[in-house]
Amino acid sequence: MAGSGTLKRNLGLWSIVGLGLGYMTPTVVFDTFGIVSDETNGAVPAAYLAALMVMIFTAFSYGKMVQVFPTAGSAYTYTRETMTPGLGFLVGWTSLMDYLLLPMVNCLIIRLYMESMVPNAPTWIWVVAYTVIMTGIVLTSMRGTANLNGILLIFALIMVTMFCVLAFFQLQAGEGAGLIVSAEPFVHEGVHMSAVLTGATVVCFSFIGFDAVTMYTNEAKSVSTMPKAIMITVLAGGAIFLVASYFAQLLFPDNSQFTIVDDPLPEIGEITGGPIFALFFLAAAFAATVASGLASHASVSRMLLVMGRNGVLPRKAFGYINPKTHTPVFNIVLVGAVCLFAMTFSLEFISALINFGALIAFTFVNLTVIAHYAFRTKQVVDVKSAFNYVVMPGLGAILTGILWSSLHGTALTSGLIWLAAGVIYLAVLTRGFKRTVRSFDDPEADATMSEPQVEEREEKETV
């Protein structure tokens, strides 16, 4: 491990955008369609539009901050550097919940796919099988992620496009709403803004890939491409979700045709294009979900590794790297253990819980723009700078705050409990808030450092 190299700057703009869209999993719009349609009374596109508006404001803020702090730390780095280390830790702590639960969401979606195909089999079989296989792959190694992601993404996008084409002809033939151009998916009698905002909190986790793009900052050919990559990822992902949900909502005005409302994707495929199309449609969704599962499992394992190496988590366990596989074994197995909870939880609850941390992170990214430009560097000197550095991020913070307050009560309560646990843990780490806590992504806590190097560094810091 002492001879390990450094990250290479070999990712171009479209490679980064592709990775972000792959992380977002375009087919997830059909996985949550039944839940959101029920929540919004048949206005899924309206929920996606509301979420997209919030994400656009936040993407502007990410684009500004990634140029100031060109590291992979994202929201917690920005908060730590512009506000306080303790607050940065708590933002990172809530984000950690998202990263830990994302692999479980993919496991849960695969479980729902398999239940629709083999309804008589016990639920636990699919969860255990998926978890063992995925954990085993990540334990061994991961190479060529960008290329594999690109192939799976193209396959998924082709199938989403085919669904829209098939839906177009079915609507033209009088199926569903019988209209191709209609405002019904956005506004109709019985649709209330509060319900749309609640639906938006469910679909927000579909956009999480755009902020994950910042993880590739150290591997981008040029840091200057990052703001553009972030915005393109948001707009492209939003366009895919809006178009797909629009045609799906017109074709399925309500959930009466679905047997499994929690994840109607398999049924949507069969009703729209028959059994053959349904097979390919499910295969594309399966592949996209597996790719997202691999990426999220590996990324959170590395995040835990760095946290272990810099002392935020117990180093003996979280900072350990297997000398043969060069992978953080304990962390990977721990994430696999979390995936096993997919046996019992619902997709609606877990997605809402993920959004708790994501929306807090998004809120603070917007606030860090104001903190850095208006107070730290005092660059707000005219109307234009005030609009860019105060008004835009301020609106982004308000909108994300509105979505955060619209979360389901159980998810809000669970998230606040997690946050409270973070405050207690922070008090322990800082010995009653008397010491400065390390950042989650401390550059000196490099995952390529050997055990003796880590110990030597800690001895120097103690002295």
Side-chain angles (χ1 to χ4, degrees):
M1 292 299 291
S4 296
T6 58
L7 296 174
K8 292 183 179 179
R9 290 194 174 276
N10 56 4
L11 292 179
L13 172 65
W14 295 109
S15 294
I16 296 172
V17 171
L19 286 166
L21 290 176
Y23 205 100
M24 290 169 78
T25 319
T27 54
V28 78
V29 63
F30 304 106
D31 293 309
T32 58
F33 180 81
I35 295 170
V36 182
S37 182
D38 187 49
E39 196 74 55
T40 60
N41 194 25
V44 177
Y48 273 106
L49 184 61
L52 178 59
M53 292 299 101
V54 177
M55 295 306 118
I56 288 174
F57 280 101
T58 306
F60 274 114
S61 295
Y62 267 106
K64 290 179 175 66
M65 296 311 294
V66 77
Q67 294 180 87
V68 179
F69 303 105
T71 65
S74 192
Y76 42 89
T77 296
Y78 309 153
T79 307
R80 173 188 173 86
E81 297 299 326
T82 62
M83 295 182 182
T84 66
L87 192 56
F89 173 88
L90 293 177
V91 171
W93 179 264
T94 55
S95 298
L96 178 60
M97 180 173 65
D98 304 351
Y99 292 123
L100 278 172
L101 293 180
L102 276 170
M104 187 171 78
V105 164
N106 290 292
C107 180
L108 203 158
I109 289 173
I110 293 295
R111 186 202 91 192
L112 293 171
Y113 289 165
M114 298 308 297
E115 283 179 349
S116 69
M117 295 172 64
V118 192
N120 296 324
T123 296
W124 66 267
I125 289 179
W126 311 122
V127 174
V128 172
Y130 172 89
T131 300
V132 170
I133 293 170
M134 295 293 281
T135 304
I137 293 172
V138 180
L139 274 173
T140 306
S141 66
M142 283 188 67
R143 294 184 181 180
T145 302
N147 292 334
L148 176 60
N149 173 79
I151 294 170
L152 294 173
L153 176 62
I154 290 170
F155 182 35
L157 290 177
I158 288 173
M159 298 314 297
V160 171
T161 303
M162 286 186 66
F163 163 79
C164 293
V165 172
L166 289 170
F168 178 89
F169 286 113
Q170 287 197 14
L171 290 167
Q172 203 171 41
E175 297 287 335
L179 297 169
I180 295 170
V181 180
S182 172
E184 288 286 307
F186 296 94
V187 180
H188 60 262
E189 187 178 352
V191 174
H192 303 287
M193 181 55 69
S194 59
V196 170
L197 290 175
T198 302
T201 65
V202 177
V203 303
C204 259
F205 92 103
S206 306
F207 289 89
I208 285 177
F210 94 85
D211 71 308
V213 162
T214 59
M215 293 189 297
Y216 308 112
T217 303
N218 295 327
E219 296 164 90
K221 290 180 180 178
S222 172
V223 175
S224 61
T225 65
M226 291 307 298
K228 188 182 296 185
I230 292 169
M231 187 56 67
I232 291 174
T233 302
V234 169
L235 294 176
I240 293 167
F241 294 142
L242 273 175
V243 173
S245 64
Y246 174 79
F247 280 105
Q249 192 70 78
L250 284 176
L251 197 58
F252 305 102
D254 54 50
N255 291 333
S256 59
Q257 298 186 62
F258 305 139
T259 305
I260 303 176
V261 176
D262 264 9
D263 191 349
L265 183 144
E267 292 178 273
I268 288 175
E270 186 163 359
I271 295 170
T272 306
I276 301 299
F277 173 75
L279 185 64
F280 282 98
F281 197 55
L282 184 60
F286 200 98
T289 304
V290 168
S292 179
L294 281 171
S296 58
H297 199 136
S299 62
V300 70
S301 299
R302 190 190 182 284
M303 180 181 180
L304 292 170
L305 170 65
V306 177
M307 290 171 67
R309 284 298 176 92
N310 65 24
V312 174
L313 292 174
R315 182 167 61 83
K316 290 293 182 182
F318 291 91
Y320 173 75
I321 297 176
N322 186 288
K324 292 183 179 179
T325 61
H326 303 290
T327 54
V329 175
F330 177 83
N331 303 339
I332 293 170
V333 173
L334 176 63
V335 176
V338 173
C339 288
L340 293 176
F341 286 98
M343 294 181 196
T344 55
F345 288 112
S346 69
L347 181 60
E348 182 178 11
F349 174 72
I350 296 302
S351 61
L353 202 56
I354 287 173
N355 290 334
F356 175 89
L359 290 171
I360 284 182
F362 294 163
T363 301
F364 274 93
V365 168
N366 285 301
L367 292 177
T368 58
V369 174
I370 300 173
H372 178 76
Y373 288 97
F375 297 101
R376 194 171 178 226
T377 59
K378 302 188 185 302
Q379 294 185 46
V380 177
V381 293
D382 52 28
V383 175
K384 182 180 179 181
S385 59
F387 179 79
N388 289 330
Y389 303 138
V390 177
V391 176
M392 288 288 285
L395 287 173
I398 292 170
L399 291 173
T400 50
I402 291 172
L403 287 185
W404 184 82
S405 65
S406 301
L407 284 169
H408 285 287
T410 50
L412 197 60
T413 302
S414 302
L416 289 172
I417 291 172
W418 176 265
L419 182 59
V423 173
I424 294 170
Y425 187 52
L426 177 62
V428 173
L429 283 177
T430 58
R431 297 179 183 176
F433 306 106
K434 295 177 182 177
R435 297 170 57 183
T436 301
V437 67
R438 278 188 175 278
S439 64
F440 276 40
D441 64 326
D442 190 337
E444 294 183 11
D446 196 335
T448 63
M449 291 176 69
S450 64
E451 195 75 7
Q453 287 176 315
V454 175
E455 291 176 353
E456 181 182 353
R457 189 200 68 193
E458 289 188 347
E459 286 177 6
K460 289 180 179 179
E461 289 175 347
T462 302
V463 173

